[in-house]
Amino acid sequence: MSKQDDNKAVVGRWFTEFWGKTVNLGVIDEIAAPEMLLKYSLHEPRRGRADIKAFMTDFRAAFPDLNFWGTADLIAEGDYVVGQWEGGGTHTGPAFNDFLIGSLPAATGRKMHFTGTTVLKVVNGKIVEEIGLDDGVTALTQLGLLKAAA
């Protein structure tokens, strides 16, 4: 397999085990670099394995049915892999204060479903950064944190 194929395999596993329907937090220790950067528009950037584990633990507690999946083949060039995705979840858990724009009280029952594109950098089989561009306006509007345009 080529370097690009190897990198796509790492990212495919990450998408399935970290972002998929059932989380495996052990995947963070296995394929995330120790100081990995996780950055999306909805949340403060996260850095390092412990911070990323805490983020996902809280996110999944608040949204127990959280699930994201790929919507196109992964594209790889050099150290970079690009993926398109969609997904979301229902806020049935505890209060969640990780959104940059505001917090949700416990168990609002609100659903979010949105799309995005992510660029991941993989070096020596480890993800060193995941930077995503998501449709955060849609998610935040669905959750009631942004007012829908009239």
Side-chain angles (χ1 to χ4, degrees), residues 15 40 68-71 83-87 114-118 133-134:
F15 279 1
Y40 282 89
F68 294 94
W69 57 91
T71 58
Q84 293 177 314
W85 51 266
E86 71 176 281
F114 61 109
T115 61
T117 302
T118 300
L133 179 61
D134 53 52

Side-chain angles (χ1 to χ4, degrees), residues 41-42 114-115 133-142 146:
S41 66
L42 291 172
F114 61 109
T115 61
L133 179 61
D134 53 52
D135 186 6
V137 169
T138 294
L140 295 172
T141 302
Q142 292 167 345
L146 282 180

Side-chain angles (χ1 to χ4, degrees), residues 11 21 27 35 46 53 63 80 99:
V11 169
K21 187 171 184 130
V27 77
E35 291 302 313
R46 300 301 188 117
K53 282 180 190 176
F63 294 85
Y80 294 92
F99 293 121

Side-chain angles (χ1 to χ4, degrees), residues 64-147:
D65 64 346
L66 191 71
N67 184 20
F68 294 94
W69 57 91
T71 58
D73 291 339
L74 296 172
I75 300 168
E77 181 69 35
D79 292 337
Y80 294 92
V81 179
V82 179
Q84 293 177 314
W85 51 266
E86 71 176 281
T90 309
H91 181 235
T92 57
F96 188 68
N97 62 5
D98 196 72
F99 293 121
L100 289 174
I101 196 162
S103 299
L104 292 171
T108 65
R110 295 181 182 138
K111 295 178 185 288
M112 62 177 180
H113 184 93
F114 61 109
T115 61
T117 302
T118 300
V119 179
L120 299 98
K121 184 174 183 181
V122 182
V123 177
N124 298 322
K126 303 285 187 189
I127 300 169
V128 297
E129 65 182 30
E130 175 178 357
I131 299 176
L133 179 61
D134 53 52
D135 186 6
V137 169
T138 294
L140 295 172
T141 302
Q142 292 167 345
L143 294 172
L145 294 172
L146 282 180
K147 186 176 178 179

